[in-house]
Amino acid sequence: MDIQLKGNVARNCHPPGLQAYLQQQANYIRQQPAISGAKKVLILGASSGFGLASRLVLSEAGGADTIGVSFERGPSERGIGTAGWYNNIYAKQLAEEKGLIAKNFVADAFQADTRKQVIDYIKREFGGKIDLVIYSLATGRRVTESGQWQSVLKTTSEPLTGYSINLEQQQLEQQTVEVANAQEIDATTKVMGGEDWQLWMEELQQAGVLAEGANTIAYSYIGPERTSAIYREGTIGYAKQHLHATADALNQQLQDSVGGSAYACVCKALVTKASVYIPVMSPYIALLYKVMKQQGLHEECTEQAYRLFSERLYPADGQAVTDKQRQIRIDDWELSAEVQSQIDQLYNSITPENFKQTTDYAGYRQSFERLNGFAVEGVDYQQALNIDALSQLRP
Ligand code: NAI
């Protein structure tokens, strides 16, 4: 069985491959020193990418109970379901093997009713308090009681023409990204900015479920000058600026109420379900993979999350490590002079004819396939899937 693609979207997934891949991540984390940090964690966007990696690291290395909220689809007549559906199931199994709680809410995190259900659960069955909230949603659309917004990935000053990887065609395609209007910038900020994070934190605080010293983090990206037209100065960059400002506002509120802190955590560029969607960004990421692997600095979400919790948020002396803007930085290796100068030397030589050699296209693709349970070592892809048994599994 092979991955089926439509553009850069996977149309199927391989549950045994997802299970094996999660087990490999868990094995890696178990070999690392334990982390002394949060024990009761709420993760918004827990089923893939950075949210899933955070859940695994905090349960496997930190012994934390977790609540995960995600928007995923189980098996039906429409297909086998989404990778995130199975990640929820297998992450819960891994946690339960250790005697830990991993509760899953498969629900729209933007709905007031989801916040209410999660808060009720914390009060009734989760010990009443949480000590860390991780905000890791990535989506194109937000629908609430008061409106709906669609985010766009566009520039804000002038059109941008560049190459993007098309995984289905295995080609580098030229694309022109248009300039967003003010309404599109606002809508993207509504979807990917900090407003929903703030709503969650305020309701959790009002419900009295934040423990003394509780922290919250939200994932962000800044990136180098090279990607600034599409990222930092693109619509998504505006949303991230809003998220960063929200971190400061929330920090003040948490300090005053429970003596806790709020941080934006700036990660490195990685292949995830969300990032392969960003136009004119993929050749940079595929080259970044090549350069960081050559320099022995490559990390995937799990390694990033481990470094975040062990060295930044919960280091041995208990003091969170931030930069001057009070942001937690785990993009430091990506932005190092050694990595960026190497990228500067190689980037302009990438062409549609040679991109499979000039970048780490194979590694980029492998990472993408693994997100969907393919290309995982030790998995027999010839064996038929037992759909009936898979349909019995519940997150
Ligand atoms: P992802 O696509 O792997 O994960 C997104 C998660 O959000 C999934 O669990 C999904 O189910 C959940 N989700 C989406 N809409 C939802 C909804 N309405 N209700 C509940 N759950 C919902 O994405 P990824 O890449 O891990 O992104 C997470 C955060 O990390 C984002 O803020 C992103 O900007 C940030 N980030 C990503 C980087 C990258 O290179 N991938 C780099 C730096 C930051």
Side-chain angles (χ1 to χ4, degrees), residues 45-50 69-72 107-110 136-139 192 219-221 231 240 267-270 272-275:
S47 61
S48 63
F50 282 98
V69 180
S70 61
F71 213 28
E72 302 291 348
D108 184 350
F110 294 132
S136 189
L137 297 186
T139 180
M192 287 298 288
Y219 291 124
S220 186
Y221 184 69
Y231 206 99
K240 291 300 186 190
C267 310
K268 76 172 278 219
L270 273 174
T272 66
K273 195 175 71 183
S275 71

Side-chain angles (χ1 to χ4, degrees), residues 287-298:
L287 181 56
L288 183 70
Y289 270 47
K290 178 173 191 160
V291 170
M292 292 189 82
K293 282 180 185 175
Q294 279 172 350
Q295 297 188 8
L297 295 174
H298 180 71

Side-chain angles (χ1 to χ4, degrees), residues 139-140 150-160 177-194 220-222 227-244 277-279 281:
T139 180
Q150 183 78 43
S151 70
V152 298
L153 291 163
K154 291 190 177 178
T155 62
T156 58
S157 54
E158 52 190 56
L160 172 71
V177 185
E178 300 300 333
V179 180
N181 59 35
Q183 201 190 346
E184 289 173 319
I185 297 174
D186 285 350
T188 307
T189 302
K190 279 281 188 184
V191 180
M192 287 298 288
S220 186
Y221 184 69
I222 294 176
T227 59
S228 66
I230 188 63
Y231 206 99
R232 244 189 276 165
E233 288 151 28
T235 47
I236 181 74
Y238 275 73
K240 291 300 186 190
Q241 275 174 31
H242 186 269
L243 190 82
H244 300 168
Y277 228 71
I278 305 174
M281 183 94 177

Side-chain angles (χ1 to χ4, degrees), residues 104-124:
N104 289 309
F105 287 86
V106 178
D108 184 350
F110 294 132
Q111 300 303 310
D113 189 52
T114 305
R115 295 194 290 274
K116 183 177 173 313
Q117 281 181 38
V118 169
I119 288 170
D120 284 351
Y121 174 78
I122 295 170
K123 287 183 173 169
R124 276 186 290 106

